[in-house]
């Protein structure tokens, strides 16, 4: 009788671990597919602006989703000293980019103020 209980406990534990693993993989897949900013479409170059101290350049691109979706603007932050790039801005239903630096590490894109390099704006996360 004791052996049957221990077997059921082990089976329950492994089923729980397996379910948690499947849920984790599903959650990661959804994040990667719908919310990961590194997978945004490249788009057509619009404009760029360099920070006052020359450390960053923000490049804006227009993404055309085709007949079923509107335009979107993608903002790519370029680290001028390391040649590294990072998407920091993604907004739907926009077709232009108005970029103004408010200091050496604060930029305003179409009315959205971001503290670079850590802040991001993604309309899907509102």
């Amino acid at each position: 009788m004791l052996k049957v209980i221990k077997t059921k406990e082990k089976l329950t534990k492994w089923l729980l671990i397996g379910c948690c693993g499947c849920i984790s993989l599903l959650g990661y897949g959804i994040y990667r597919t719908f919310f990961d900013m590194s997978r945004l479409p490249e788009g057509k170059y619009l404009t760029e602006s360099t920070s006052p101290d020359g450390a960053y350049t923000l490049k804006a691109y227009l993404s055309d989703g085709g007949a079923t979706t509107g335009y979107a603007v993608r903002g790519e932050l370029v680290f001028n000293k390391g040649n590294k790039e990072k998407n920091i801005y993604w907004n739907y239903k926009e077709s232009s980019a108005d970029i103004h630096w408010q200091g050496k590490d604060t930029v305003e894109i179409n009315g959205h103020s971001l503290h670079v390099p850590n802040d991001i704006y993604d309309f899907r996360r509102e």
Side-chain angles (χ1 to χ4, degrees), residues 2 19-20 37 57 64 71 76-77 79 100:
L2 187 59
C19 287
C20 287
M37 288 192 68
T57 299
D64 180 6
Y71 289 104
E76 178 183 83
L77 184 68
F79 298 80
H100 298 286

Side-chain angles (χ1 to χ4, degrees), residues 109-120:
I109 312 165
N110 293 343
H112 300 280
S113 185
L114 301 173
H115 185 77
V116 295
N118 298 322
D119 284 355
I120 62 168

Side-chain angles (χ1 to χ4, degrees), residues 30-93:
I30 290 171
Y31 169 77
R32 182 92 168 128
T33 303
F34 296 107
F35 299 104
D36 186 5
M37 288 192 68
S38 67
R39 296 176 48 93
L40 296 176
E42 187 171 325
K44 179 182 167 190
Y45 175 81
L46 286 175
T47 187
E48 69 182 53
S49 179
T50 303
S51 64
D53 65 351
Y56 306 107
T57 299
L58 184 68
K59 294 182 179 182
Y61 297 88
L62 180 64
S63 176
D64 180 6
T68 59
T69 60
Y71 289 104
V73 172
R74 176 178 68 89
E76 178 183 83
L77 184 68
V78 178
F79 298 80
N80 292 333
K81 300 217 185 317
N83 290 332
K84 193 170 89 171
E85 301 156 349
K86 174 184 175 184
N87 290 325
I88 64 165
Y89 184 81
W90 179 244
N91 202 10
Y92 185 58
K93 294 188 179 178

